[in-house]
Amino acid sequence: MVGGGSKTTEELLEHISERILIVDKEQKIRGASWGTKWDKVLDFFIGRKIEELIENKILLRPATLAVKCLDSGRSESTLYAEENGERYLITGIPLLEKGAIVAVIVIEKTISPFIVLAKELVSEEQKSKPGSKEKAGKSLIYQSKVMCELVDLANRVAKQDVTVLIQGESGTGKEVIANLIHSSSSRSEHSFVKINCGAIPENLLESELFGYEPGAFTGADVKGKCGLFEAADGGTLFLDEIGTMPLHLQVKLLRAIQEKEIIRIGGADYIPVDIRIIAATNADLKKEVERGSFREDLYYRLNVVPITLPPLRDRKADIKPLTDYFMNKFNKKYYIEKQMDESAWKLLHKYSWPGNIRELENVMERLVVTTKSKTIHGGDIERIFSDFQVEGTFEQKIGTDLKDRVENFEKKLILSQMSYYSRSQELADALVIDKSTLTSKMNKYRINNIYIEKKGNREQ
């Protein structure tokens, strides 16, 4: 059953239920425990190159994984299923000595019983606890009371085929809620089509939404084009950043909602569409109506059922589960095992999170990748949040030159948030000031906004 080792090694392997293959750094087979079916065959291969197993198609999957593990220098895993439906997990683990690989141990075991158990546990968990759900590929993580109530509202609204307006600051998860509503609705088997109205140039937005007929304009496809309204027929159309839609397109959108029909650019006939509209915005549409930049009749058509997402600073009970989720996500992504100490948790709860969940995700990825130790400390948080350091300076050294200190704080605050937003308007919204005020301050402090605008152009 095993060769090339001591009697102690043989006895050890014989008492292990998992299938095991041991390969040294020279790719020679040093030991194995694979059941009686393979005893004589494996005895023959002990001491030989693993390529002989591969050439003879013996234990092909574990042998191939052992080579991959030796090449990459890290743990590797793969899943496969037999014809009878039995599923197996194969894991290759490098054995290191003074930082260098000396061997690889490959372990194979059946996971079918665990899959059955996991499905049962998840099913029971979802029945009894509303805290974490995944809909349409999007994770919804929460435990705060306000979010429990909001998700309950979204699930109730989903059952009724009404138009929904989701409001909230950038990064609060408006698209995730839209996904939840669609996937919980009677339209869940049909398309969920989304478009960011603020990310598409005005001259292209109309053709993207409504499509066009052949030869409608110079450069148009000779076959014409189906718009997103037609693509979403039977399903849901999610209009993000609806507040940026030009006035002349708002008229066409209003008719589409009221009459359930659209007309392509250059077309003569109306096309019936059966869709549900979910719109989202980080702007105050009532104020936009007062300013004349958004139609009042369209506002009321969209605002049949309003859902307002609270900013992360007003739902701090969700910081812990969200942080755990992102920590686990990036630990897996980068093959790292990081954790946080109490000092780090305190600072995460102290911060106001102007960029909301999107900013938290950004920060967690940065912390997992850049911190040296396995434990993330408060000092690591402070180094990436100039806000904390500036606030500390105010508390300890405030005195004369108050005007200069306030201006220095403003400048550092603006600079610290620029990397989280693709448009100046989003940054202004996060700072709760008008865009003109932000522009004035950036000019005053000689802050170059080219980075923001270029980033926005790339996203378009």
Side-chain angles (χ1 to χ4, degrees):
M1 186 175 290
V2 62
S6 65
K7 185 176 180 181
T8 303
T9 304
E10 293 179 13
E11 292 174 348
L12 176 63
L13 287 174
E14 285 176 357
H15 286 86
I16 294 176
S17 58
E18 287 83 4
R19 301 173 178 180
I20 292 176
L21 184 68
I22 302 172
V23 181
D24 67 17
K25 63 181 180 179
E26 305 298 332
Q27 297 195 9
K28 290 183 179 180
I29 300 166
R30 292 303 181 189
S33 176
W34 221 267
T36 56
K37 180 180 178 181
W38 301 100
D39 284 355
K40 294 181 179 179
V41 177
L42 287 177
D43 282 343
F44 173 77
F45 280 103
I46 296 298
R48 297 174 183 268
K49 290 275 191 174
I50 199 167
E51 63 187 32
E52 293 190 49
L53 277 182
I54 297 174
E55 288 174 0
N56 289 276
K57 296 183 179 181
I58 296 173
L59 305 183
L60 186 59
R61 290 188 181 91
T64 303
L65 189 70
V67 174
K68 184 177 180 182
C69 195
L70 285 168
D71 290 341
S72 69
R74 62 173 184 243
S75 297
E76 302 282 355
S77 296
T78 186
L79 289 166
Y80 77 94
E82 297 281 14
E83 291 183 0
N84 62 5
E86 191 77 8
R87 298 185 185 184
Y88 293 89
L89 170 66
I90 310 176
T91 303
I93 305 170
L95 305 179
L96 305 179
E97 187 174 294
K98 296 181 180 180
I101 296 179
V102 295
V104 167
I105 180 170
V106 179
I107 303 172
E108 177 181 308
K109 58 184 176 183
T110 177
I111 60 170
S112 294
F114 298 102
I115 292 174
V116 174
L117 177 61
K119 287 181 177 179
E120 291 176 353
L121 290 173
V122 169
S123 177
E124 289 302 314
E125 183 78 6
Q126 289 179 341
K127 289 179 183 177
S128 61
K129 181 180 176 182
S132 176
K133 301 179 182 180
E134 187 154 316
K135 298 288 186 180
K138 295 288 183 179
S139 296
L140 186 57
I141 310 297
Y142 62 93
Q143 69 179 30
S144 63
K145 181 180 178 181
V146 64
M147 282 302 296
C148 286
E149 293 173 351
L150 188 147
V151 171
D152 179 63
L153 171 62
N155 278 315
R156 283 186 281 116
V157 168
K159 309 303 180 185
Q160 310 302 324
D161 205 20
V162 295
T163 303
V164 179
L165 178 62
I166 305 173
Q167 302 172 89
E169 296 178 6
S170 294
T172 49
K174 296 186 288 295
E175 184 181 332
V176 179
I177 294 296
N179 268 281
L180 171 64
I181 293 172
H182 170 73
S183 60
S184 300
S185 73
S186 59
R187 297 176 178 269
S188 60
E189 299 301 318
H190 298 279
S191 300
F192 177 76
V193 178
K194 57 187 178 181
I195 182 172
N196 187 322
C197 300
I200 298 177
E202 182 177 331
N203 61 333
L204 296 179
L205 184 58
E206 183 175 6
S207 64
E208 287 295 316
L209 286 171
F210 302 101
Y212 56 81
E213 296 293 344
F217 50 85
T218 303
D221 192 308
V222 294
K223 296 180 181 179
K225 179 183 177 182
C226 169
L228 295 182
F229 271 89
E230 292 175 74
D233 192 37
T236 303
L237 179 61
F238 176 52
L239 302 172
D240 199 5
E241 290 195 37
I242 188 68
T244 64
M245 180 173 284
L247 279 168
H248 74 278
L249 289 185
Q250 293 179 27
V251 178
K252 294 190 70 170
L253 175 59
L254 180 62
R255 180 180 177 87
I257 296 173
Q258 289 181 160
E259 307 299 333
K260 301 290 185 180
E261 61 184 18
I262 59 99
I263 186 168
R264 291 182 176 183
I265 298 174
D269 299 319
Y270 282 94
I271 302 170
V273 288
D274 172 26
I275 60 170
R276 179 185 197 163
I277 297 287
I278 300 178
T281 180
N282 59 11
D284 187 333
L285 288 188
K286 281 189 175 180
K287 288 185 178 179
E288 297 301 320
V289 170
E290 292 171 3
R291 292 171 184 160
S293 60
F294 201 85
R295 292 181 61 96
E296 185 175 19
D297 48 5
L298 178 58
Y299 169 70
Y300 288 114
R301 280 291 178 182
L302 293 173
N303 199 37
V304 177
V305 177
I307 294 180
T308 301
L309 278 170
L312 191 54
R313 61 183 172 275
D314 293 339
R315 41 181 282 213
K316 291 201 170 183
D318 294 330
I319 291 177
K320 178 66 165 64
L322 283 166
T323 302
D324 286 341
Y325 173 78
F326 291 132
M327 179 86 76
N328 184 54
K329 173 183 175 179
F330 295 122
N331 274 339
K332 289 182 177 179
K333 179 178 179 179
Y334 298 110
Y335 303 97
I336 297 174
E337 293 184 8
K338 295 289 179 71
Q339 58 185 4
M340 301 184 71
D341 70 4
E342 189 63 25
S343 65
W345 282 116
K346 287 181 179 178
L347 286 181
L348 288 179
H349 279 80
K350 176 183 175 183
Y351 187 52
S352 63
W353 298 106
N356 294 296
I357 299 172
R358 187 181 297 126
E359 182 181 11
L360 176 60
E361 181 176 12
N362 179 296
V363 167
M364 290 311 303
E365 182 169 19
R366 182 173 172 182
L367 286 169
V368 167
V369 171
T370 62
T371 51
K372 295 180 179 179
S373 65
K374 286 189 175 181
T375 301
I376 298 169
H377 304 284
D380 299 313
I381 305 291
E382 288 178 336
R383 275 190 285 275
I384 64 172
F385 283 140
S386 60
D387 303 58
F388 291 135
Q389 296 169 340
V390 174
E391 286 171 1
T393 301
F394 267 106
E395 293 169 359
Q396 298 169 21
K397 299 179 181 179
I398 194 166
T400 57
D401 301 322
L402 175 61
K403 181 173 180 291
D404 289 340
R405 293 186 185 279
V406 170
E407 289 179 348
N408 185 50
F409 174 79
E410 276 191 341
K411 179 179 180 180
K412 288 189 175 182
L413 180 59
I414 292 171
L415 286 169
S416 70
Q417 299 305 311
M418 284 180 68
S419 63
Y420 300 115
Y421 301 96
S422 60
R423 298 168 62 239
S424 297
Q425 184 63 59
E426 291 180 355
L427 177 57
D429 290 341
L431 296 172
V432 199
I433 58 176
D434 292 334
K435 183 179 177 181
S436 58
T437 303
L438 173 63
T439 302
S440 175
K441 290 183 181 295
M442 293 178 77
N443 290 335
K444 177 181 178 180
Y445 301 135
R446 297 180 180 179
I447 298 174
N448 194 336
N449 69 346
I450 291 177
Y451 169 75
I452 287 184
E453 302 308 333
K454 279 188 175 179
K455 182 180 177 186
N457 289 336
R458 285 199 303 270
E459 291 188 352
Q460 291 174 8

